[in-house]
Tab-separated table of all heavy atoms in Angstrom:
chain	number	residue	atom	x	y	z
M	1	PHE	N	-32.162	-61.835	25.666
M	1	PHE	CA	-32.760	-61.299	26.894
M	1	PHE	C	-33.920	-60.374	26.525
M	1	PHE	O	-35.026	-60.521	27.121
M	1	PHE	CB	-31.697	-60.529	27.646
M	1	PHE	CG	-32.248	-59.818	28.894
M	1	PHE	CD1	-32.783	-60.542	29.957
M	1	PHE	CD2	-32.154	-58.469	29.016
M	1	PHE	CE1	-33.293	-59.929	31.068
M	1	PHE	CE2	-32.607	-57.827	30.145
M	1	PHE	CZ	-33.173	-58.574	31.179
M	2	VAL	N	-33.736	-59.476	25.630
M	2	VAL	CA	-34.825	-58.604	25.179
M	2	VAL	C	-36.019	-59.379	24.631
M	2	VAL	O	-37.177	-59.159	25.028
M	2	VAL	CB	-34.316	-57.554	24.137
M	2	VAL	CG1	-35.480	-56.824	23.472
M	2	VAL	CG2	-33.331	-56.571	24.804
M	3	ARG	N	-35.725	-60.337	23.805
M	3	ARG	CA	-36.777	-61.134	23.188
M	3	ARG	C	-37.545	-61.957	24.257
M	3	ARG	O	-38.762	-62.009	24.270
M	3	ARG	CB	-36.155	-62.138	22.223
M	3	ARG	CG	-37.150	-63.020	21.519
M	3	ARG	CD	-36.406	-63.922	20.524
M	3	ARG	NE	-37.345	-64.552	19.638
M	3	ARG	CZ	-37.382	-65.869	19.464
M	3	ARG	NH1	-36.576	-66.695	20.061
M	3	ARG	NH2	-38.266	-66.388	18.640
M	4	TYR	N	-36.810	-62.542	25.225
M	4	TYR	CA	-37.444	-63.283	26.303
M	4	TYR	C	-38.369	-62.424	27.112
M	4	TYR	O	-39.530	-62.751	27.407
M	4	TYR	CB	-36.347	-63.865	27.243
M	4	TYR	CG	-36.796	-64.595	28.404
M	4	TYR	CD1	-37.349	-65.902	28.346
M	4	TYR	CD2	-36.826	-64.001	29.648
M	4	TYR	CE1	-37.817	-66.549	29.425
M	4	TYR	CE2	-37.281	-64.673	30.785
M	4	TYR	CZ	-37.747	-65.976	30.683
M	4	TYR	OH	-38.226	-66.595	31.781
M	5	CYS	N	-37.876	-61.219	27.500
M	5	CYS	CA	-38.699	-60.327	28.351
M	5	CYS	C	-39.939	-59.888	27.570
M	5	CYS	O	-41.036	-59.951	28.158
M	5	CYS	CB	-37.872	-59.106	28.783
M	5	CYS	SG	-36.606	-59.507	29.952
M	6	PHE	N	-39.794	-59.461	26.378
M	6	PHE	CA	-40.965	-58.982	25.601
M	6	PHE	C	-41.954	-60.142	25.338
M	6	PHE	O	-43.175	-59.903	25.306
M	6	PHE	CB	-40.551	-58.325	24.301
M	6	PHE	CG	-40.292	-56.831	24.454
M	6	PHE	CD1	-39.049	-56.362	24.920
M	6	PHE	CD2	-41.255	-55.908	24.143
M	6	PHE	CE1	-38.800	-55.060	25.046
M	6	PHE	CE2	-41.037	-54.547	24.285
M	6	PHE	CZ	-39.783	-54.109	24.752
M	7	SER	N	-41.440	-61.333	25.151
M	7	SER	CA	-42.372	-62.476	24.875
M	7	SER	C	-43.299	-62.750	26.053
M	7	SER	O	-44.395	-63.223	25.868
M	7	SER	CB	-41.566	-63.732	24.526
M	7	SER	OG	-40.953	-64.277	25.679
M	8	GLN	N	-42.851	-62.432	27.263
M	8	GLN	CA	-43.660	-62.680	28.473
M	8	GLN	C	-44.929	-61.712	28.467
M	8	GLN	O	-45.838	-61.920	29.278
M	8	GLN	CB	-42.844	-62.426	29.764
M	8	GLN	CG	-41.613	-63.315	29.814
M	8	GLN	CD	-41.925	-64.803	29.660
M	8	GLN	OE1	-42.694	-65.378	30.405
M	8	GLN	NE2	-41.266	-65.436	28.691
M	9	PHE	N	-44.884	-60.719	27.606
M	9	PHE	CA	-45.969	-59.721	27.533
M	9	PHE	C	-46.677	-59.740	26.190
M	9	PHE	O	-47.326	-58.781	25.781
M	9	PHE	CB	-45.437	-58.304	27.853
M	9	PHE	CG	-44.988	-58.254	29.293
M	9	PHE	CD1	-43.696	-58.668	29.654
M	9	PHE	CD2	-45.872	-57.869	30.279
M	9	PHE	CE1	-43.267	-58.617	30.963
M	9	PHE	CE2	-45.420	-57.895	31.654
M	9	PHE	CZ	-44.141	-58.229	31.947
M	10	GLY	N	-46.469	-60.848	25.433
M	10	GLY	CA	-47.203	-61.033	24.185
M	10	GLY	C	-46.550	-60.431	22.931
M	10	GLY	O	-47.212	-60.399	21.911
M	11	PHE	N	-45.332	-60.012	23.050
M	11	PHE	CA	-44.643	-59.438	21.868
M	11	PHE	C	-43.697	-60.453	21.283
M	11	PHE	O	-42.946	-61.138	22.025
M	11	PHE	CB	-43.858	-58.186	22.256
M	11	PHE	CG	-44.730	-57.061	22.706
M	11	PHE	CD1	-45.034	-56.924	24.086
M	11	PHE	CD2	-45.256	-56.131	21.825
M	11	PHE	CE1	-45.809	-55.865	24.533
M	11	PHE	CE2	-46.036	-55.094	22.261
M	11	PHE	CZ	-46.344	-54.958	23.588
M	12	THR	N	-43.642	-60.558	19.966
M	12	THR	CA	-42.742	-61.452	19.250
M	12	THR	C	-41.671	-60.657	18.583
M	12	THR	O	-41.928	-59.818	17.787
M	12	THR	CB	-43.518	-62.298	18.221
M	12	THR	OG1	-44.607	-62.971	18.866
M	12	THR	CG2	-42.611	-63.276	17.565
M	13	LEU	N	-40.461	-60.920	18.991
M	13	LEU	CA	-39.283	-60.271	18.357
M	13	LEU	C	-38.333	-61.328	17.863
M	13	LEU	O	-38.254	-62.425	18.457
M	13	LEU	CB	-38.555	-59.404	19.440
M	13	LEU	CG	-39.265	-58.153	19.905
M	13	LEU	CD1	-38.505	-57.478	21.096
M	13	LEU	CD2	-39.462	-57.160	18.819
M	14	PRO	N	-37.555	-61.025	16.846
M	14	PRO	CA	-36.563	-61.986	16.346
M	14	PRO	C	-35.366	-62.060	17.321
M	14	PRO	O	-35.227	-61.204	18.150
M	14	PRO	CB	-36.103	-61.360	15.007
M	14	PRO	CG	-36.430	-59.932	15.092
M	14	PRO	CD	-37.628	-59.783	16.013
M	15	HIS	N	-34.583	-63.123	17.182
M	15	HIS	CA	-33.442	-63.276	18.049
M	15	HIS	C	-32.129	-62.779	17.359
M	15	HIS	O	-31.305	-63.546	17.024
M	15	HIS	CB	-33.255	-64.723	18.524
M	15	HIS	CG	-32.166	-64.846	19.523
M	15	HIS	ND1	-31.848	-66.030	20.096
M	15	HIS	CD2	-31.296	-63.975	20.012
M	15	HIS	CE1	-30.812	-65.876	20.914
M	15	HIS	NE2	-30.456	-64.641	20.887
M	16	SER	N	-32.137	-61.507	17.166
M	16	SER	CA	-30.954	-60.830	16.667
M	16	SER	C	-31.171	-59.369	16.795
M	16	SER	O	-32.253	-58.796	16.407
M	16	SER	CB	-30.767	-61.207	15.191
M	16	SER	OG	-30.379	-60.146	14.348
M	17	SER	N	-30.184	-58.639	17.344
M	17	SER	CA	-30.357	-57.172	17.498
M	17	SER	C	-30.418	-56.501	16.176
M	17	SER	O	-31.189	-55.529	16.031
M	17	SER	CB	-29.181	-56.624	18.353
M	17	SER	OG	-27.958	-56.993	17.734
M	18	ALA	N	-29.741	-57.032	15.199
M	18	ALA	CA	-29.804	-56.501	13.819
M	18	ALA	C	-31.215	-56.597	13.233
M	18	ALA	O	-31.664	-55.699	12.485
M	18	ALA	CB	-28.802	-57.128	12.908
M	19	ALA	N	-31.911	-57.634	13.608
M	19	ALA	CA	-33.280	-57.781	13.098
M	19	ALA	C	-34.305	-57.068	13.990
M	19	ALA	O	-35.294	-56.581	13.507
M	19	ALA	CB	-33.670	-59.291	13.041
M	20	GLN	N	-34.002	-56.978	15.321
M	20	GLN	CA	-34.935	-56.276	16.195
M	20	GLN	C	-35.070	-54.779	15.875
M	20	GLN	O	-36.093	-54.197	16.084
M	20	GLN	CB	-34.509	-56.476	17.646
M	20	GLN	CG	-34.765	-57.864	18.174
M	20	GLN	CD	-34.266	-58.054	19.582
M	20	GLN	OE1	-33.631	-57.179	20.193
M	20	GLN	NE2	-34.483	-59.288	20.113
M	21	ILE	N	-34.025	-54.196	15.283
M	21	ILE	CA	-34.043	-52.755	15.033
M	21	ILE	C	-35.087	-52.412	13.946
M	21	ILE	O	-35.415	-51.254	13.818
M	21	ILE	CB	-32.653	-52.178	14.697
M	21	ILE	CG1	-32.675	-50.645	14.860
M	21	ILE	CG2	-32.179	-52.644	13.364
M	21	ILE	CD1	-31.283	-50.009	14.894
M	22	SER	N	-35.510	-53.397	13.249
M	22	SER	CA	-36.514	-53.158	12.177
M	22	SER	C	-37.969	-53.220	12.721
M	22	SER	O	-38.916	-53.016	11.971
M	22	SER	CB	-36.358	-54.074	11.008
M	22	SER	OG	-36.621	-55.379	11.434
M	23	HIS	N	-38.095	-53.484	14.025
M	23	HIS	CA	-39.450	-53.623	14.628
M	23	HIS	C	-39.769	-52.309	15.367
M	23	HIS	O	-38.883	-51.592	15.808
M	23	HIS	CB	-39.506	-54.820	15.599
M	23	HIS	CG	-39.574	-56.118	14.841
M	23	HIS	ND1	-38.505	-56.591	14.081
M	23	HIS	CD2	-40.562	-56.997	14.719
M	23	HIS	CE1	-38.856	-57.683	13.496
M	23	HIS	NE2	-40.107	-57.995	13.946
M	24	GLY	N	-41.058	-52.107	15.593
M	24	GLY	CA	-41.507	-50.874	16.293
M	24	GLY	C	-41.346	-49.650	15.504
M	24	GLY	O	-41.215	-49.691	14.248
M	25	ILE	N	-41.308	-48.493	16.162
M	25	ILE	CA	-41.197	-47.234	15.456
M	25	ILE	C	-39.905	-46.526	15.990
M	25	ILE	O	-39.555	-46.651	17.165
M	25	ILE	CB	-42.404	-46.311	15.655
M	25	ILE	CG1	-42.667	-46.062	17.146
M	25	ILE	CG2	-43.630	-46.868	15.000
M	25	ILE	CD1	-43.769	-45.011	17.406
M	26	GLU	N	-39.258	-45.833	15.093
M	26	GLU	CA	-38.041	-45.052	15.478
M	26	GLU	C	-38.424	-43.901	16.386
M	26	GLU	O	-39.406	-43.246	16.148
M	26	GLU	CB	-37.340	-44.591	14.216
M	26	GLU	CG	-36.022	-43.987	14.486
M	26	GLU	CD	-35.272	-43.597	13.199
M	26	GLU	OE1	-35.834	-43.786	12.075
M	26	GLU	OE2	-34.150	-43.116	13.307
M	27	VAL	N	-37.590	-43.662	17.375
M	27	VAL	CA	-37.823	-42.627	18.347
M	27	VAL	C	-36.539	-41.781	18.527
M	27	VAL	O	-35.476	-42.363	18.654
M	27	VAL	CB	-38.213	-43.192	19.689
M	27	VAL	CG1	-38.409	-42.146	20.735
M	27	VAL	CG2	-39.500	-44.031	19.594
M	28	ASP	N	-36.636	-40.484	18.484
M	28	ASP	CA	-35.502	-39.604	18.797
M	28	ASP	C	-35.119	-39.799	20.271
M	28	ASP	O	-35.960	-40.020	21.085
M	28	ASP	CB	-35.805	-38.137	18.490
M	28	ASP	CG	-35.903	-37.868	17.020
M	28	ASP	OD1	-35.312	-38.576	16.222
M	28	ASP	OD2	-36.664	-36.936	16.674
M	29	ILE	N	-33.829	-39.656	20.521
M	29	ILE	CA	-33.336	-39.803	21.871
M	29	ILE	C	-34.028	-38.899	22.871
M	29	ILE	O	-34.267	-39.257	24.014
M	29	ILE	CB	-31.789	-39.693	21.933
M	29	ILE	CG1	-31.300	-40.230	23.287
M	29	ILE	CG2	-31.352	-38.240	21.723
M	29	ILE	CD1	-29.855	-40.561	23.293
M	30	ASP	N	-34.419	-37.682	22.432
M	30	ASP	CA	-35.085	-36.721	23.366
M	30	ASP	C	-36.530	-37.108	23.633
M	30	ASP	O	-37.157	-36.515	24.474
M	30	ASP	CB	-34.944	-35.311	22.884
M	30	ASP	CG	-35.508	-35.086	21.483
M	30	ASP	OD1	-35.676	-36.050	20.743
M	30	ASP	OD2	-35.877	-33.917	21.178
M	31	GLN	N	-37.009	-38.126	22.897
M	31	GLN	CA	-38.404	-38.591	23.116
M	31	GLN	C	-38.421	-39.986	23.698
M	31	GLN	O	-39.457	-40.628	23.870
M	31	GLN	CB	-39.195	-38.636	21.796
M	31	GLN	CG	-39.322	-37.269	21.108
M	31	GLN	CD	-40.103	-36.310	21.931
M	31	GLN	OE1	-41.185	-36.649	22.436
M	31	GLN	NE2	-39.600	-35.128	22.155
M	32	ALA	N	-37.231	-40.521	24.070
M	32	ALA	CA	-37.087	-41.866	24.583
M	32	ALA	C	-37.846	-42.048	25.901
M	32	ALA	O	-37.931	-41.072	26.713
M	32	ALA	CB	-35.624	-42.219	24.808
M	33	LYS	N	-38.349	-43.250	26.155
M	33	LYS	CA	-39.149	-43.549	27.396
M	33	LYS	C	-38.715	-44.917	27.894
M	33	LYS	O	-38.199	-45.746	27.111
M	33	LYS	CB	-40.625	-43.610	27.110
M	33	LYS	CG	-41.248	-42.283	26.656
M	33	LYS	CD	-42.717	-42.421	26.409
M	33	LYS	CE	-43.328	-41.084	26.016
M	33	LYS	NZ	-44.722	-41.216	25.706
M	34	ALA	N	-38.965	-45.107	29.121
M	34	ALA	CA	-38.707	-46.430	29.742
M	34	ALA	C	-39.504	-47.509	28.919
M	34	ALA	O	-40.662	-47.316	28.557
M	34	ALA	CB	-39.137	-46.478	31.181
M	35	GLY	N	-38.822	-48.606	28.612
M	35	GLY	CA	-39.455	-49.673	27.845
M	35	GLY	C	-39.039	-49.696	26.386
M	35	GLY	O	-39.176	-50.673	25.678
M	36	ASP	N	-38.459	-48.545	25.899
M	36	ASP	CA	-37.969	-48.491	24.521
M	36	ASP	C	-36.740	-49.324	24.380
M	36	ASP	O	-35.992	-49.518	25.375
M	36	ASP	CB	-37.686	-47.018	24.081
M	36	ASP	CG	-38.921	-46.178	23.934
M	36	ASP	OD1	-40.061	-46.706	23.848
M	36	ASP	OD2	-38.738	-44.954	23.889
M	37	LEU	N	-36.468	-49.823	23.176
M	37	LEU	CA	-35.222	-50.542	22.939
M	37	LEU	C	-34.147	-49.553	22.492
M	37	LEU	O	-34.428	-48.622	21.716
M	37	LEU	CB	-35.397	-51.593	21.804
M	37	LEU	CG	-36.439	-52.666	22.130
M	37	LEU	CD1	-36.460	-53.706	21.036
M	37	LEU	CD2	-36.176	-53.355	23.470
M	38	ILE	N	-32.905	-49.781	22.954
M	38	ILE	CA	-31.786	-48.925	22.531
M	38	ILE	C	-30.756	-49.851	21.861
M	38	ILE	O	-30.445	-50.880	22.392
M	38	ILE	CB	-31.183	-48.161	23.788
M	38	ILE	CG1	-30.105	-47.175	23.324
M	38	ILE	CG2	-30.793	-49.103	24.902
M	38	ILE	CD1	-29.747	-46.188	24.377
M	39	PHE	N	-30.239	-49.409	20.726
M	39	PHE	CA	-29.361	-50.227	19.896
M	39	PHE	C	-28.004	-49.614	19.771
M	39	PHE	O	-27.844	-48.368	19.735
M	39	PHE	CB	-30.003	-50.369	18.492
M	39	PHE	CG	-31.242	-51.160	18.535
M	39	PHE	CD1	-32.478	-50.536	18.664
M	39	PHE	CD2	-31.206	-52.567	18.384
M	39	PHE	CE1	-33.677	-51.297	18.681
M	39	PHE	CE2	-32.415	-53.297	18.389
M	39	PHE	CZ	-33.609	-52.628	18.546
M	40	PHE	N	-27.017	-50.524	19.603
M	40	PHE	CA	-25.615	-50.121	19.523
M	40	PHE	C	-24.891	-50.979	18.464
M	40	PHE	O	-25.366	-52.031	18.107
M	40	PHE	CB	-24.894	-50.389	20.863
M	40	PHE	CG	-25.543	-49.726	22.048
M	40	PHE	CD1	-26.557	-50.389	22.788
M	40	PHE	CD2	-25.164	-48.447	22.412
M	40	PHE	CE1	-27.107	-49.730	23.895
M	40	PHE	CE2	-25.776	-47.802	23.455
M	40	PHE	CZ	-26.732	-48.480	24.230
M	41	LYS	N	-23.783	-50.437	17.983
M	41	LYS	CA	-22.928	-51.227	17.155
M	41	LYS	C	-22.304	-52.307	18.036
M	41	LYS	O	-22.273	-52.170	19.230
M	41	LYS	CB	-21.825	-50.329	16.553
M	41	LYS	CG	-22.317	-49.188	15.719
M	41	LYS	CD	-21.243	-48.245	15.310
M	41	LYS	CE	-21.789	-47.030	14.625
M	41	LYS	NZ	-20.745	-46.030	14.356
M	42	GLY	N	-21.723	-53.271	17.359
M	42	GLY	CA	-21.047	-54.339	18.184
M	42	GLY	C	-19.703	-53.862	18.696
M	42	GLY	O	-19.533	-52.696	18.954
M	43	HIS	N	-18.765	-54.769	18.887
M	43	HIS	CA	-17.483	-54.414	19.485
M	43	HIS	C	-16.706	-53.405	18.676
M	43	HIS	O	-15.956	-52.627	19.205
M	43	HIS	CB	-16.650	-55.660	19.681
M	43	HIS	CG	-17.188	-56.614	20.664
M	43	HIS	ND1	-17.247	-56.362	21.989
M	43	HIS	CD2	-17.774	-57.841	20.524
M	43	HIS	CE1	-17.796	-57.314	22.666
M	43	HIS	NE2	-18.119	-58.257	21.779
M	44	ASN	N	-16.889	-53.359	17.356
M	44	ASN	CA	-16.193	-52.430	16.512
M	44	ASN	C	-16.967	-51.181	16.344
M	44	ASN	O	-17.987	-51.140	15.592
M	44	ASN	CB	-15.900	-53.117	15.169
M	44	ASN	CG	-15.136	-52.239	14.213
M	44	ASN	OD1	-14.824	-51.071	14.488
M	44	ASN	ND2	-14.825	-52.738	13.030
M	45	SER	N	-16.541	-50.126	17.009
M	45	SER	CA	-17.277	-48.850	16.931
M	45	SER	C	-17.245	-48.245	15.508
M	45	SER	O	-18.074	-47.356	15.214
M	45	SER	CB	-16.768	-47.864	17.965
M	45	SER	OG	-15.390	-47.508	17.662
M	46	GLY	N	-16.332	-48.670	14.638
M	46	GLY	CA	-16.250	-48.140	13.338
M	46	GLY	C	-17.242	-48.841	12.384
M	46	GLY	O	-17.459	-48.322	11.251
M	47	SER	N	-17.808	-49.909	12.770
M	47	SER	CA	-18.748	-50.680	11.974
M	47	SER	C	-20.064	-49.908	11.881
M	47	SER	O	-20.406	-49.076	12.700
M	47	SER	CB	-19.021	-52.033	12.608
M	47	SER	OG	-20.045	-52.684	11.994
M	48	GLN	N	-20.829	-50.201	10.846
M	48	GLN	CA	-22.181	-49.608	10.724
M	48	GLN	C	-23.265	-50.632	11.132
M	48	GLN	O	-24.461	-50.359	11.091
M	48	GLN	CB	-22.439	-49.183	9.274
M	48	GLN	CG	-21.506	-48.055	8.832
M	48	GLN	CD	-21.630	-46.861	9.695
M	48	GLN	OE1	-22.757	-46.406	9.999
M	48	GLN	NE2	-20.473	-46.351	10.170
């Protein structure tokens, strides 16, 4: 979904959240803005 939406605006992202986190620049949560990507662990909250 993220990849599809961004591709409509000329951005190329890989099809994997684990790979997408290596794109763009890291942003602290207090500097987050609309349009930024937000990442989470999968179903296992203990996983890294």
Side-chain angles (χ1 to χ4, degrees):
F1 176 62
V2 167
R3 181 177 193 236
Y4 176 79
C5 290
F6 272 82
S7 73
Q8 304 305 303
F9 295 86
F11 295 92
T12 303
L13 292 173
H15 185 176
S16 139
S17 55
Q20 288 177 357
I21 198 167
S22 66
H23 286 67
I25 58 171
E26 188 174 2
V27 176
D28 289 332
I29 195 162
D30 58 338
Q31 299 297 312
K33 295 180 181 178
D36 290 346
L37 299 185
I38 186 166
F39 293 90
F40 304 91
K41 298 172 188 176
H43 294 291
N44 180 357
S45 64
S47 169
Q48 295 303 311

